[in-house]
Amino acid sequence: MMFRKIALAGAFLIAAPALPAQAQVTYGPTYAQDRAQIEDLHARYLFAIDYHDWDAYVATFAENGELEFANGTSRGRDAIRKAVTDFSAGIGRFYHTADGKPAKLRHIILQTAIRVEGDRAWSRSQWLEMANNGPGDEPKIGTYGIYEDEMKQVDGQWLFAKRRVLNEFIPNRNSGPGNPVSTMDQTAERP
């Protein structure tokens, strides 16, 4: 019986089609270091927004960086700061504790695919946002979506050139219908 299971598994592997070309990614010699720096950039962005550290937040963007989210698109650090602080000031209307105080929000990245080509990089990340606005101020998931990022190296430091925040539950702000990683690879392969 065990031999039959192993034989069937082996037959399946032999008969399985090859991975599509876009799934066969090659990595350069500095990929591990670039990836570590890009993951650090993502974490710094999230800690900055969750702790209202707007200087640290805008510092994750290139000088002429772009942020697109449900409220629109902002270009340049000053415009990004204004957009995110205005958004943050109003978030208490949606997320509040039982006594009406603004809830604490915490953003989490679940997984990230990163592609690096020289001094340019792209990533796709699934994220969710939790807040202590559940019954009895318990945490609950409020929103979730995809980050579509383009990054560039400036003086040896990775920064967001463009961050597009997609909210999977808002009409026309979701990522589908195709695989976001395939879309990232197609974008990276354009000149």
Side-chain angles (χ1 to χ4, degrees):
M1 184 69 158
M2 179 64 116
F3 177 75
R4 181 181 294 167
K5 289 180 183 177
I6 293 171
L8 286 173
F12 173 76
L13 290 173
I14 292 169
L19 292 175
Q22 61 265 48
Q24 298 176 7
V25 179
T26 58
Y27 300 105
T30 64
Y31 181 78
Q33 180 178 353
D34 291 328
R35 183 179 179 95
Q37 291 174 354
I38 290 167
E39 287 180 359
D40 187 68
L41 173 69
H42 288 192
R44 288 175 183 280
Y45 171 96
L46 294 181
F47 278 113
I49 198 167
D50 285 346
Y51 288 89
H52 309 271
D53 185 349
W54 306 125
D55 291 336
Y57 182 86
V58 298
T60 64
F61 288 88
E63 288 290 337
N64 60 347
E66 182 177 305
L67 172 65
E68 177 192 329
F69 67 115
N71 285 7
T73 301
S74 302
R75 290 178 186 84
R77 287 181 173 172
D78 290 341
I80 290 170
R81 179 189 300 270
K82 179 165 179 18
V84 75
T85 56
D86 288 352
F87 182 78
S88 178
I91 202 74
R93 291 176 295 171
F94 305 102
Y95 294 103
H96 51 79
T97 59
D99 62 0
K101 294 179 182 171
K104 290 181 184 177
L105 272 63
R106 297 295 183 254
H107 293 77
I108 300 165
I109 290 180
L110 302 170
Q111 66 254 352
T112 301
I114 299 173
R115 177 148 178 185
V116 178
E117 300 288 339
D119 63 353
R120 298 176 62 213
W122 299 262
S123 65
R124 296 297 183 266
S125 306
Q126 289 185 327
W127 61 269
L128 58 85
E129 176 186 68
M130 298 184 319
N132 62 329
N133 65 329
D137 296 341
E138 293 176 7
K140 74 175 191 175
I141 296 173
T143 60
Y144 61 94
I146 301 283
Y147 290 131
E148 293 183 349
D149 297 319
E150 294 179 27
M151 290 143 297
K152 64 181 181 179
Q153 256 187 339
V154 178
D155 298 327
Q157 181 181 6
W158 286 103
L159 298 171
F160 292 114
K162 179 177 182 179
R163 171 157 267 203
R164 185 172 185 224
V165 181
L166 297 173
N167 303 81
E168 294 287 351
F169 54 91
I170 297 176
N172 301 317
R173 294 294 309 160
N174 51 36
S175 62
N179 179 344
V181 175
S182 296
T183 303
M184 173 188 73
D185 287 337
Q186 291 168 3
T187 302
E189 291 166 6
R190 289 186 207 131

